[in-house]
Amino acid sequence: MQHLKIRNLGPIRHCEIHVDDFTVLTGPQASGKSTIARSIYFFRTLKDDVFAQITHRPSEDEYETNIIRAFEKRLRKKFLQIFGSTWSMAEDMKLTYEYAPHVKISVYLEPDHNHSYRNFVRFEIDDKITEFLSRYENQPYEWDQEDRRQTLRTDIDKLFEDYYETIYIPAGRSLITVLTDRLASILDSEDRTLDYCMRAYVRLTMEKRSAFRDGAEGLLGEKLHTTQEKVDRKKMKIMQDLMDRVLQGRYSYQSGEERLNIEGHRYVKINFASSGQQEAVWVFNLLYYYLLERKPIFLIIEEPEAHLYPDAQKAITEALGLFGHERNQVLMTTHSPYILGELNNLLFANTIPQKYRRQMPVAEEKLLPEEHTWVGHVNGGMVEDGLSKGFIQNGLIDGASDEINDEMQQLMEINWQAEDSHE
């Protein structure tokens, strides 16, 4: 199990969490949930940075430097693109991520001696990682062949003991869904309008659009008719039903435009769909795509409830449970009592004896991993365990409703007193 420590980054003063198979972060706005999610994304995608550094083809326009220094520069640029300027960061800020025993990286700040008004990003990198990188120092370029690149990726996975591809689905998806084509030019520039996480998400959705030229059904049909890979058709059917419940239409990418096909030959362009459909469409597309591919994914998703009606929030939670049940890992941030309530149901269902599970109102394929689900309550710069006896604390699920109900009770009592005084 991987481990993250944060000291004084953004709203977070102190945080230590184990990254479990299914991790949920909840708490007030601006409490630091996204800071934690982005920190994990920074470290979990570091495998890609190792691969990119080793396979980088040097040019005459670049300074000659050793591979470790070049790697640190790559990480520094990425850190700044994810978290912004260090000028306003605390001088004692530090992040540490442990992937496996003796495989650890820390990020910290020290004064920039050339500019007294800002801090400089530094790294502590364990010997196992530096030794791995150093093997490829000054070697002739040999990465044109795909089998060599795949072998390298496998070796990097073994180094970090991490066999998952990391995907980040950020908040604010509806705007990105509408403007994806217009944002394409930004991806090829140094424009900082989009941060690193959003850029990665836009690249991913643009890359996967063509796979949905005939929608999810076409994607499934192609897999069945062109490969010998096993497909769990029951799970794909469950995911499709959940997509239909939320999207009220089926996505396809045809004639260079994204559509939601309603019925028959009728469709609506995605930029004219509802905000809820725009928020959810690529969440479901990516869940469906990777569920079908059966490739282990570490999914980070912010606010899956955004712009969705309560019953749709329940459905998207079930979809994430199904996705996590299938050898994937999930980390989500949420404010929604509906999502937390449904997650609690998916946890509680594990307590039902096996012979009674056919009677359950939720499919067993959606249940959360009982021993490997963790909920963190982020508030006041700290993170507290949000579970009590294996379930999500009631105060986190519906604390606001309790307060609203108490307020109504007080109002009713005042009203009764007023009526009695008139008598």
Side-chain angles (χ1 to χ4, degrees):
M1 188 183 298
Q2 300 186 3
H3 187 77
L4 170 71
K5 293 182 181 179
I6 301 178
R7 182 181 69 200
N8 290 334
L9 177 64
I12 300 296
R13 291 188 286 111
H14 177 75
C15 161
E16 289 192 34
I17 67 171
H18 293 290
V19 182
D20 222 323
D21 287 349
F22 205 102
T23 304
V24 182
L25 299 174
T26 187
Q29 290 86 351
S31 58
K33 297 184 297 299
S34 290
T35 299
I36 297 171
R38 286 167 179 257
S39 298
I40 293 172
Y41 181 70
F42 172 81
F43 287 109
R44 289 292 292 247
T45 54
L46 194 131
K47 294 191 307 176
D48 300 329
D49 301 311
V50 172
F51 179 85
Q53 188 60 57
I54 292 173
T55 59
H56 174 67
R57 190 192 293 271
S59 74
E60 295 179 355
D61 297 329
E62 297 178 358
Y63 292 111
E64 289 188 14
T65 186
N66 68 61
I67 194 168
I68 304 302
R69 285 190 63 189
F71 179 63
E72 289 181 348
K73 287 183 176 181
R74 183 182 294 274
L75 295 189
R76 185 174 296 117
K77 181 178 180 179
K78 174 179 166 181
F79 181 86
L80 295 172
Q81 288 177 336
I82 291 178
F83 295 103
S85 170
T86 62
W87 294 5
S88 59
M89 290 183 185
E91 291 184 1
D92 62 345
M93 181 280 293
K94 188 172 184 179
L95 306 177
T96 301
Y97 200 86
E98 185 173 2
Y99 301 86
H102 309 296
V103 184
K104 181 170 67 177
I105 290 185
S106 295
V107 187
Y108 64 98
L109 300 180
E110 69 176 25
D112 185 343
H113 299 298
N114 296 319
H115 301 87
S116 60
Y117 54 85
R118 71 180 184 189
N119 300 315
F120 199 67
V121 182
R122 293 289 190 188
F123 301 92
E124 294 173 2
I125 304 176
D126 271 4
D127 290 344
K128 275 192 175 183
I129 302 173
T130 56
E131 289 169 4
F132 185 91
L133 284 163
S134 297
R135 292 183 213 165
Y136 300 93
E137 184 84 63
N138 300 320
Q139 284 195 1
Y141 191 84
E142 54 182 8
W143 306 110
D144 291 326
Q145 296 182 349
E146 184 56 35
D147 60 336
R148 292 282 298 128
R149 297 169 72 88
Q150 188 55 51
T151 298
L152 176 61
R153 285 197 179 277
T154 301
D155 290 342
I156 293 171
D157 287 348
K158 289 179 181 177
L159 169 67
F160 288 95
E161 296 186 22
D162 181 1
Y163 300 91
Y164 295 84
E165 178 184 347
T166 299
I167 303 297
Y168 197 113
I169 302 180
R173 297 177 292 274
S174 60
L175 179 61
I176 295 301
T177 301
V178 171
L179 298 177
T180 298
D181 287 321
R182 300 180 191 179
L183 294 171
S185 60
I186 296 179
L187 297 180
D188 299 323
S189 70
E190 291 297 317
D191 191 316
R192 296 288 182 91
T193 304
L194 299 181
D195 67 22
Y196 187 94
C197 300
M198 190 64 81
R199 281 173 175 261
Y201 173 72
V202 173
R203 286 194 182 96
L204 179 64
T205 56
M206 292 183 68
E207 173 191 325
K208 301 303 182 191
R209 286 189 306 185
S210 60
F212 288 88
R213 59 188 177 276
D214 295 317
E217 289 177 313
L219 189 65
L220 174 61
E222 184 175 353
K223 171 71 75 173
L224 291 171
H225 294 115
T226 61
T227 76
Q228 288 295 103
E229 297 175 28
K230 291 184 178 179
V231 174
D232 190 326
R233 300 182 74 164
K234 179 182 179 182
K235 290 179 181 177
M236 300 314 301
K237 175 66 164 57
I238 293 172
M239 184 64 78
Q240 182 69 74
D241 289 346
L242 292 169
M243 293 172 73
D244 291 344
R245 278 171 57 187
V246 176
L247 297 178
Q248 298 294 305
R250 295 198 170 182
Y251 174 91
S252 66
Y253 181 64
Q254 299 178 1
S255 304
E257 62 183 21
E258 295 183 277
R259 302 173 177 178
L260 274 180
N261 301 288
I262 310 301
E263 53 186 42
H265 297 290
R266 294 176 57 234
Y267 68 88
V268 59
K269 294 182 182 179
I270 200 68
N271 55 313
F272 294 113
S274 75
S275 60
Q277 290 169 316
Q278 292 167 358
E279 286 278 350
V281 64
W282 270 104
V283 175
F284 276 110
N285 282 352
L286 293 173
L287 292 179
Y288 191 95
Y289 178 89
Y290 287 112
L291 190 66
L292 181 62
E293 289 299 307
R294 296 172 62 86
K295 180 179 180 180
I297 297 295
F298 180 79
L299 176 73
I300 302 173
I301 177 168
E302 291 188 295
E303 301 175 17
E305 70 269 17
H307 294 244
L308 294 181
Y309 195 67
D311 62 347
Q313 293 185 37
K314 180 182 184 302
I316 205 168
T317 308
E318 293 178 49
L320 289 165
L322 175 64
F323 189 74
H325 200 86
E326 183 65 14
R327 302 184 307 164
N328 300 302
Q329 294 182 330
V330 176
L331 183 146
M332 74 162 74
T333 71
T334 182
H335 305 111
S336 170
Y338 301 108
I339 284 189
L340 293 172
E342 182 60 21
L343 290 173
N344 223 22
N345 290 347
L346 299 180
L347 276 173
F348 184 77
N350 285 298
T351 66
I352 304 295
Q354 195 66 41
K355 66 178 182 179
Y356 293 100
R357 292 199 174 184
R358 288 187 179 181
Q359 304 174 33
M360 295 194 309
V362 294
E364 191 166 353
E365 290 84 355
K366 302 174 185 177
L367 304 191
L368 301 187
E370 186 176 10
E371 302 297 326
H372 295 284
T373 296
W374 185 76
V375 178
H377 182 224
V378 186
N379 196 20
M382 310 287 281
V383 182
E384 298 177 347
D385 190 348
L387 293 176
S388 177
K389 298 181 180 179
F391 303 108
I392 302 172
Q393 296 175 17
N394 286 333
L396 299 182
I397 295 176
D398 223 5
S401 292
D402 290 342
E403 186 176 341
I404 291 168
N405 290 337
D406 288 345
E407 184 179 272
M408 174 57 74
Q409 184 65 35
Q410 293 177 46
L411 291 170
M412 291 176 67
E413 288 175 0
I414 293 170
N415 187 54
W416 292 333
Q417 291 175 11
E419 289 178 350
D420 289 344
S421 67
H422 287 308
E423 293 177 359

